[in-house]
Amino acid sequence: MAEQLNDRGSSGLADKLMQYLPARFRPGTAVVPVVRLSGVIGAVTPLRPGMTLAGVARILERAFSYRNAKAVALVINSPGGSPVQSRQIFLRIKQLAAEKKLPVLVFVEDVAASGGYMIACAGDEIFCDPSSILGSIGVVGGSFGFQDAIRRLGIERRLYTAGAHKAMLDPFLPENPDDVAKLKAIQREIHQIFIALVKESRGARLNGADDTLFTGEYWAGESSIALGLADGIGDLRSTLRARYGEKVLTPVIAQPTGLLSGLLGRKSPGAGQLLALESMAGLPDDLISAVETRAIWAKFGF
């Protein structure tokens, strides 16, 4: 009898102590950390910082190191950008998932296109909304031609180079067909890297010919699923509750802000005015970058 009372007392005490533990530390609690990856990739300006590996590495590490995590959820909303930064973020996610032995579930919001879709391919499964846009598996580059404009304004172009192709595709010089051919060869090489990444990640789930999937075209949710670019329609909350239970915890892993971000080196206190002055010299470039960023989003109707 005494042993039974002791057992009941110990059990009751343990239950009471368990109530004071944070939910994520309680046995049997499913936790799925959430990381949001949003914006143009690699386009970094004072007006609109872009997404880079350096900018997201810390929060990815935190998400994959989260105690009791059953998986990691990525919420992606990106029209693409730098192919290098896109692939580096993709690789870091794959590396962390392998090290921690955690599945990765991707949830597409408005768009996961071009580099945004490349990052989405790091997921074991990709979910989207019926109105989400996915795909755009291609490579694009653009510039402007100002040679006629500066001639009309009476501006003389002076350019000094060492190297026959150092001024290749200079916007103030007439377009050179040889330079265009060289650029297109580089684009084809990068495109093949992108195609190989998608094929390796999606495997047998792809359901379309190469000349359909890899032309740079993009599709809405249901069509993306039919082509094997995504796995199903689903929002983060409903999907994770159905898979891990109604009490699943989904902490959002975000960049530090305020005083903490300053201590971690994101922004030095008191340096705002100095940074603003330094950025004035590059303001024309920043304005052009902002217009280009807006154009990338506008391509997909946003």
Side-chain angles (χ1 to χ4, degrees), residues 58 62 254-264 266-267:
R58 181 174 293 164
R62 287 174 56 201
Q255 293 282 11
T257 58
L259 177 61
L260 181 59
S261 67
L263 293 174
L264 293 177
R266 289 187 66 210
K267 185 175 180 181

Side-chain angles (χ1 to χ4, degrees), residues 53-279:
L53 176 60
V56 303
R58 181 174 293 164
I59 57 174
L60 288 173
E61 293 276 357
R62 287 174 56 201
F64 280 95
S65 300
Y66 214 87
R67 183 165 178 175
N68 289 342
K70 300 295 185 183
V72 171
L74 305 178
V75 179
I76 295 179
N77 194 10
S78 174
S82 163
V84 173
Q85 292 297 323
S86 302
R87 187 171 179 275
Q88 287 186 347
I89 294 171
F90 164 89
L91 288 175
R92 183 61 57 87
I93 295 166
K94 297 292 284 186
Q95 290 161 1
L96 288 168
E99 290 170 10
K100 304 297 183 179
K101 296 180 173 56
L102 289 174
V104 177
L105 306 178
V106 169
F107 296 88
V108 177
E109 291 191 323
D110 298 304
V111 57
S114 195
Y117 184 72
M118 182 184 289
I119 294 174
C121 284
D124 296 286
E125 296 177 76
I126 300 175
F127 299 93
C128 59
D129 185 86
S131 298
S132 298
I133 290 176
L134 294 85
S136 191
I137 302 167
V139 180
V140 64
S143 182
F144 300 92
F146 295 110
Q147 69 274 9
D148 291 337
I150 63 172
R151 187 180 67 250
R152 292 192 188 100
L153 293 171
I155 299 172
E156 180 183 352
R157 172 67 162 158
R158 294 174 180 175
L159 183 66
Y160 311 100
T161 67
H165 301 290
K166 189 61 180 177
M168 188 173 76
L169 298 175
D170 185 292
F172 295 100
L173 295 175
E175 189 176 63
N176 183 328
D178 290 339
D179 291 348
V180 174
K182 288 183 177 67
L183 174 63
K184 286 185 173 294
I186 293 172
Q187 288 180 323
R188 286 192 293 271
E189 187 175 350
I190 296 171
H191 192 198
Q192 289 304 313
I193 293 170
F194 194 173
I195 292 171
L197 183 149
V198 174
K199 285 185 173 181
E200 182 178 355
S201 299
R202 300 298 298 169
R205 288 174 289 186
L206 291 175
N207 187 30
D210 285 9
D211 57 4
T212 297
L213 294 173
F214 306 129
T215 62
E217 188 177 354
Y218 45 87
W219 300 268
E222 294 286 3
S223 296
S224 299
I225 295 167
L227 290 169
L229 298 177
D231 298 290
I233 299 295
D235 65 280
L236 181 135
R237 186 171 184 269
S238 300
T239 303
L240 294 185
R241 285 191 168 195
R243 185 162 300 189
Y244 298 105
E246 291 293 319
K247 294 184 179 181
V248 61
L249 299 179
T250 55
V252 177
I253 311 300
Q255 293 282 11
T257 58
L259 177 61
L260 181 59
S261 67
L263 293 174
L264 293 177
R266 289 187 66 210
K267 185 175 180 181
S268 300
Q273 292 181 342
L274 179 60
L275 291 174
L277 289 172
E278 290 177 347
S279 68

Side-chain angles (χ1 to χ4, degrees), residues 1-12:
M1 179 66 72
E3 291 179 358
Q4 290 179 346
L5 289 174
N6 286 336
D7 290 342
R8 290 175 184 173
S10 299
S11 177

